[in-house]
Amino acid sequence: AQSVSQHNHHVILSEAASLELGCNYSYGGTVNLFWYVQYPGQHLQLLLKYFSGDPLVKGIKGFEAEFIKSKFSFNLRKPSVQWSDTAEYFCAVMDTDKLIFGTGTRLQVFP
Amino acid sequence: EAQVTQNPRYLITVTGKKLTVTCSQNMNHEYMSWYRQDPGLGLRQIYYSMNVEVTDKGDVPEGYKVSRKEKRNFPLILESPSPNQTSLYFCASRPLLGSAGELFFGEGSRLTVL
């Protein structure tokens, strides 16, 4: 079965810094990949998804992610973070009938 | 408005007292699922349902039951809650076709078992 690794558990940045959160999945073939965001006290919302085509995927709020098949990776990036990006970020991969989530990365952005 | 609605949002209960967390979606989705979220463990799937009267175990089904008598509802039942079921629970749904697997989540239900 698929698994997802998010190596950064807690990231602290100042506003305007660049962000990259790592995500690796366990095996190849056709994959559907997702990044979800959970703002404090809220439910998960989709940031972006990849299922085919251009490996550079653009999502909401200025986020993007790059699918690199050879590295089994789907890292999330944002050139300049804002205080409002403080949240927990989850990478997920579709495996047959279910979405497998990583353990999440908590991002704190200070003004 | 398209949404997944869970109730209750917050609940404190005691060991052994049966409880049900309801989940309802208004998007006519075939697939519904329950996850629990625990610090450092991310989201883990408890049960899922591909359609009415079809349910399957996820990764952590022990201590839980579900039913899918109607397409829109997917209640999570804790017959005899224990403290290790203290967690944040999310219900989610998606269509079987056309969403590439994207899940739509409810607001979450925070359960504390004393």
Side-chain angles (χ1 to χ4, degrees):
Chain A
Q2 278 278 12
S3 63
V4 178
S5 297
Q6 292 182 245
H7 305 294
N8 316 103
H9 299 295
H10 191 188
V11 173
I12 301 173
L13 294 172
S14 298
E15 275 192 318
S18 64
L19 170 72
E20 180 159 3
L21 301 182
C23 172
N24 289 92
Y25 57 96
S26 55
Y27 63 84
T30 303
V31 285
N32 292 354
L33 295 155
F34 304 81
W35 276 98
Y36 280 84
V37 60
Q38 186 179 29
Y39 297 105
Q42 296 189 27
H43 65 292
L44 279 81
Q45 303 169 44
L46 183 71
L47 266 182
L48 48 81
K49 64 184 177 185
Y50 170 84
F51 50 97
S52 67
D54 189 343
L56 186 61
V57 180
K58 294 198 184 299
I60 61 171
K61 306 189 181 191
F63 285 91
E64 64 180 30
E66 186 174 13
F67 169 57
I68 303 180
K69 192 172 182 178
S70 60
K71 294 184 179 180
F72 299 93
S73 70
F74 190 55
N75 292 354
L76 181 71
R77 300 195 292 244
K78 186 170 184 178
S80 176
V81 295
Q82 301 172 309
W83 176 79
S84 57
D85 293 324
T86 293
E88 191 149 16
Y89 293 81
F90 292 94
C91 182
V93 62
M94 190 72 175
D95 184 14
T96 316
D97 297 325
K98 65 182 182 182
L99 217 48
I100 308 291
F101 286 87
T103 53
T105 298
R106 176 180 285 188
L107 171 66
Q108 282 184 287
V109 180
F110 288 96
Chain B
E1 182 189 351
Q3 59 186 2
V4 179
T5 304
Q6 297 178 223
N7 280 295
R9 296 286 313 281
Y10 302 91
L11 179 63
I12 300 174
T13 190
V14 295
T15 299
K17 186 176 182 182
K18 180 179 178 179
L19 68 92
T20 299
V21 186
T22 63
C23 174
S24 181
Q25 50 94 5
N26 62 1
M27 295 171 279
N28 202 36
H29 288 167
E30 295 86 3
Y31 182 99
M32 297 186 74
S33 182
W34 276 101
Y35 286 85
R36 61 178 288 173
Q37 182 182 10
D38 302 289
L41 297 177
L43 281 88
R44 295 176 293 166
Q45 191 182 51
I46 303 170
Y47 270 94
Y48 66 98
S49 169
M50 301 283 278
N51 216 323
V52 176
E53 301 291 2
V54 180
T55 62
D56 277 297
K57 295 178 180 178
D59 298 315
V60 288
E62 296 77 21
Y64 304 95
K65 284 175 57 177
V66 291
S67 68
R68 188 89 184 274
K69 294 185 170 56
E70 304 164 284
K71 197 172 187 179
R72 63 185 293 125
N73 296 323
F74 190 45
L76 179 70
I77 303 154
L78 286 73
E79 293 272 4
S80 182
S82 62
N84 64 12
Q85 292 179 297
T86 292
S87 187
L88 179 57
Y89 292 87
F90 287 101
C91 181
S93 72
R94 64 173 172 87
L96 279 185
L97 298 174
S99 75
E102 177 189 350
L103 279 173
F104 297 83
F105 283 86
E107 297 283 338
S109 297
R110 185 168 292 281
L111 171 65
T112 301
V113 183
L114 301 175

